[in-house]
Amino acid sequence: MRHVVVSLLFLTACSAPKREAPPAEQAVPLRITQFYASPGVIASGDSAMMCYGVEGAESVRLEPAAEKLTPLAYRCFHVSPTASTTYKLTARAKTGEETSQTAEVRVEGKRAASPSTAPSAARPPQDGPQILLFLAAQNEIPAGMPVTLCYGVSGATSVRLEPEPGEAKVSEKTCVTAKPAATTTYTLTATDASGRRASQKVTVRTR
């Protein structure tokens, strides 16, 4: 009888269904989605805005070092090179794989005290607000993916970016993120204290 019980227990153990191991988490491929400088040409003493975005990265570094970077889908910062400089962005995955891109900031001439570069307070009030820059990091993106929009204004008391995000910060150099579901034309409008406006458009296509 004892042998029968042992045999039944053995057969039960052998016939028990095996538990499947949980599927391994699929790694996100390492990719630099964007890396650019705006503007690409500056006068000595001026600064440029540099923006980047990465996917599947554990660490990010910039050469020559100008800012401590972290792996983000989008981020912008300022650089002020004293001479023309080619910056190299390197993203590294947990596996040790690396990928790099470069972006150049050229320095030409000296900063001039002209209406286009002088502080906004020095501009005659009748000039109204001015849009210094307005661009998209990528002019074509997959539908549903975020895109970085960078802009700069002067002489303005308010800024709107339509259709999203609406009210925006008044700044000479800054970036925001939008997520168009379809091809979208964004309109940046700067308004001064007297109600005068300046507008500019940028179209982001989706695929």
Side-chain angles (χ1 to χ4, degrees):
M1 185 65 179
R2 182 181 177 183
H3 291 292
V4 174
V5 173
V6 172
S7 299
L8 289 173
L9 290 174
F10 178 76
L11 290 172
T12 302
C14 291
S15 61
K18 295 181 179 180
R19 293 183 179 179
E20 294 185 1
E25 184 178 349
Q26 187 174 4
V28 178
L30 179 65
R31 189 163 71 103
I32 295 175
T33 57
Q34 56 190 316
F35 182 48
Y36 66 94
S38 176
V41 180
I42 62 173
S44 178
D46 281 347
S47 63
M49 185 161 49
M50 187 156 280
C51 300
Y52 72 93
V54 298
E55 293 177 351
E58 182 182 41
S59 63
V60 183
R61 69 178 184 271
L62 183 70
E63 301 171 273
E67 183 90 0
K68 184 177 180 180
L69 306 185
T70 55
L72 294 171
Y74 56 90
R75 187 195 167 195
C76 295
F77 56 93
H78 291 128
V79 293
S80 301
T82 56
S84 295
T85 303
T86 297
Y87 293 91
K88 181 181 179 182
L89 178 76
T90 301
R92 181 182 178 88
K94 289 182 179 180
T95 59
E97 177 190 2
E98 290 188 346
T99 184
S100 300
Q101 284 187 22
T102 60
E104 183 184 17
V105 178
R106 297 200 309 275
V107 179
E108 298 179 358
K110 296 182 179 180
R111 176 168 33 185
S114 65
S116 60
T117 59
S120 57
R123 293 189 178 96
Q126 63 268 23
D127 284 349
Q130 295 187 24
I131 296 177
L132 306 177
L133 68 96
F134 183 38
L135 54 86
Q138 297 165 293
N139 291 324
E140 185 174 350
I141 61 171
M145 291 294 291
V147 64
T148 301
L149 303 172
C150 297
Y151 67 89
V153 300
S154 66
T157 56
S158 65
V159 173
R160 285 193 65 84
L161 187 56
E162 302 289 351
E164 57 168 325
E167 290 295 332
K169 180 173 67 173
V170 177
S171 174
E172 291 193 353
K173 289 180 181 179
T174 192
C175 294
V176 297
T177 302
K179 198 172 182 180
T183 296
T184 303
T185 296
Y186 291 91
T187 302
L188 178 75
T189 302
T191 307
D192 68 6
S194 300
R196 291 169 295 194
R197 296 181 177 181
S199 296
Q200 195 167 322
K201 298 179 183 292
V202 165
T203 299
V204 177
R205 296 184 300 276
T206 58
R207 58 179 185 273

